[in-house]
Amino acid sequence: MTALDDAGLAAPATPAPAPDGGVLGRGYRALSIGIVTVIVLIAFEATAVGTAMPVAARDLDGVALYAFAFSAYFTTSLFGMVVAGQWADRRGPLGPVGAGIGAFAAGLLLAGTATNMWTFIAGRAVQGLGGGLVIVALYVVVSRAYPARLRPAILAAFAAAWVVPSIVGPLAAGAVTQHLGWRWVFLGIPVLVLLPLGLALPQIRRQAGGPPEGGAPEPFERRRIRLALGISAGAGLLQYAAQDLAWIALLPGAAGAALLAPSVLGLLPRGTYRAVRGLPSVVLLRGIAAGSFIAAESFVPLMLVTQRGVSPTMAGFSLAAGGATWAIGSWAQSRPRMEPYRERLAAVGMVLVAAAIATVPLVLIDAVPVWLVAVAWAYGCLGMGIVTSATSVLLLQLSAPEEAGTNSAALQISDGLSNTLLLAAGGAAFAALGGGAVGHGVAQGAGGAHPAAFVAVFLPMAAIALIGVGVATRLRAPATREDAPVTTG
């Protein structure tokens, strides 16, 4: 049985430094700056690449393969998440962090030097593998290196690390693409990887390295690796099918579902889809929040451009304030005095998310001012900041040291997979009502889309977010660990 600290949390496998201020205190400063810098680089790449991608696809004569440049990243990241959970739980997070940063940089170099679209897609796949390894391993670092009182603060810093990239990334990428060429959007980032490598890796080795409780490393669980391959292949086939409205696309779609369903059930906590109290509901809530919000967000700029005549730049800026309010929400839930109310805050956050998604389609009415979207998305992102950080904190509270990697992988899988599935469902509804074929928020022939096509996206996503309000009331774990559900099915 794992020893528990005074707050009932699993004690870190490797003793953290003696308390010395906050996350920027002497004992944590280098580690905190290093791992937050990693998040900044991943965030910048994620927000900037969309700006350079159309130019890259045209230059490489690969517009027909455009969507695969995105889906390749996602499918390999799912596999990386599962591998990182196994790796970090058995041998410590140092290996997957180092390998993930290396793979991320190598993928950027491969994409930036590509001479054809398939090489570019391969680079994106390597990036995704690295990103999946890193994001899960960093959660294990937080679990092991930081005491419970500092975990909300460092996870809030993770959220804040997305603010500047989300605002500056697309603009900077546009300027670089225009003046230096799209390749430098990819080639410029690997040099910056040296900073987090130099700061974070020595600290991870010292504060969070090695297997849990200092035991001998255990072998990887082959069944979970097979499930990881299944979830990646299944997600890839479903994404391929969603991009083709022909009947023949049902075949790869059915094959993808057949691979995906058992893999998801095996990799997520048992009872997730029944919203069992504790860990399963935490993982489910993360998927509901991320999937409904991101699926809706993908259609906001398109609606503003095609229905209200707003320029693409202004449509993007209508969502910009959300980066700041997201960070504010994450910071608010991290305050020590909010600890007893974290579950209630998550429910409030989901109410804000649902309200924001339901408010946005009001601008389809000409008399409603367009700026209402900016207001709605500001409070929607406030809710998302609360929910995403709260679920991250609660996940670590409910995870023993030897489970932190596996459970963190489950949280990220729920997040990423729900994004893809709900976006695909929203895209299908949009296309069925005359909106056009959708790929990553860009509709083909959507200029004449009927307003009902957008309503068919936003209202169901708002309803799904409302379901999340109920799930948020079930985040408290059972009274004892013995009563808790088994981690995976």
Side-chain angles (χ1 to χ4, degrees):
M1 180 66 68
T2 303
L4 301 179
D5 62 18
D6 291 339
L9 310 180
T14 303
D20 183 13
V23 295
L24 291 178
R26 187 179 60 194
Y28 302 102
R29 186 180 302 124
L31 177 62
S32 297
I33 293 174
I35 61 178
V36 170
T37 302
V38 172
I39 298 294
V40 169
L41 292 178
I42 293 176
F44 182 83
E45 189 276 341
T47 56
V49 71
T51 303
M53 195 72 77
V55 181
R58 186 177 65 243
D59 187 43
L60 296 173
D61 194 24
V63 174
L65 300 173
Y66 181 82
F68 288 102
F70 291 93
S71 60
Y73 184 100
F74 174 75
T75 53
T76 55
S77 69
L78 285 175
F79 181 74
M81 289 171 189
V82 179
V83 171
Q86 292 262 300
W87 195 347
D89 280 346
R90 285 157 173 73
R91 305 182 184 184
L94 179 65
V97 170
I101 293 175
F104 188 76
L108 288 166
L109 290 172
L110 184 59
T113 57
T115 57
N116 58 72
M117 194 61 178
W118 282 114
T119 303
F120 183 84
I121 291 171
R124 293 285 295 159
V126 175
Q127 281 180 255
L129 178 63
L133 288 170
V134 168
I135 196 66
V136 169
L138 288 183
Y139 275 84
V140 180
V141 170
V142 171
S143 174
R144 293 193 184 186
Y146 293 86
R149 67 181 182 86
L150 293 183
R151 290 175 195 162
I154 191 63
L155 291 172
F158 282 9
W162 281 81
V163 175
V164 174
S166 66
I167 298 172
V168 176
L171 298 176
V176 170
T177 299
Q178 181 177 350
H179 297 291
L180 298 177
W182 64 266
R183 295 182 184 277
W184 287 103
V185 175
F186 297 89
L187 297 177
I189 296 179
V191 177
L192 303 177
V193 168
L194 297 175
L195 173 63
L197 279 175
L199 283 174
L201 293 187
Q203 296 300 317
I204 293 174
R205 183 190 302 276
R206 182 172 68 89
Q207 300 182 31
E213 307 295 345
E218 298 180 9
F220 279 31
E221 188 179 339
R222 293 182 180 180
R223 172 178 171 272
R224 295 186 65 81
I225 300 300
R226 289 195 299 269
L227 291 174
L229 290 171
I231 200 173
S232 296
L237 287 170
L238 280 176
Q239 289 176 85
Y240 174 81
Q243 292 158 16
D244 189 350
L245 295 179
W247 285 105
I248 194 66
L250 291 176
L251 295 178
L259 284 170
L260 195 62
S263 299
V264 170
L265 292 174
L267 291 172
L268 297 187
R270 185 178 299 166
T272 294
Y273 293 107
R274 292 184 288 110
V276 171
R277 288 190 177 274
L279 182 66
S281 288
V282 170
V283 172
L284 177 60
L285 180 62
R286 180 64 160 263
I288 289 174
S292 60
F293 189 79
I294 298 303
E297 185 179 56
S298 298
F299 287 87
V300 172
L302 183 65
M303 180 182 66
L304 293 177
V305 171
T306 61
Q307 301 298 309
R308 296 299 298 266
V310 176
S311 70
T313 300
M314 291 306 298
F317 272 120
S318 69
L319 306 179
T325 56
W326 190 306
I328 291 171
S330 182
W331 174 84
Q333 72 79 37
S334 72
R335 300 298 87 195
R337 64 177 176 273
M338 294 297 180
E339 172 66 31
Y341 311 107
R342 186 159 284 125
E343 292 82 0
R344 295 182 188 176
L345 281 174
V348 171
M350 288 308 304
V351 170
L352 293 174
V353 170
I357 297 173
T359 299
V360 164
L362 291 177
V363 301
L364 291 167
I365 303 171
D366 290 339
V368 176
V370 173
W371 53 257
L372 181 66
V373 170
V375 174
W377 226 242
Y379 63 73
C381 285
L382 177 68
M384 283 297 294
I386 293 171
V387 174
T388 53
S389 291
T391 50
S392 297
V393 172
L394 290 167
L395 178 111
L396 295 182
Q397 288 182 355
L398 295 170
S399 301
E402 67 274 9
E403 300 170 341
T406 297
N407 291 344
S408 296
L411 189 74
Q412 296 302 322
I413 289 170
S414 178
D415 187 315
L417 192 59
S418 64
N419 286 346
T420 296
L421 295 181
L422 290 182
L423 181 56
F430 184 78
L433 290 177
V438 177
H440 303 282
V442 180
Q444 308 301 321
H450 193 281
F454 291 97
V455 175
V457 174
F458 291 114
L459 293 189
M461 296 306 160
I464 291 171
L466 279 177
I467 294 173
V469 178
V471 175
T473 65
R474 302 179 60 80
L475 301 183
R476 288 192 179 276
T480 63
R481 186 172 295 278
E482 285 76 7
D483 296 332
V486 178
T487 302
T488 54

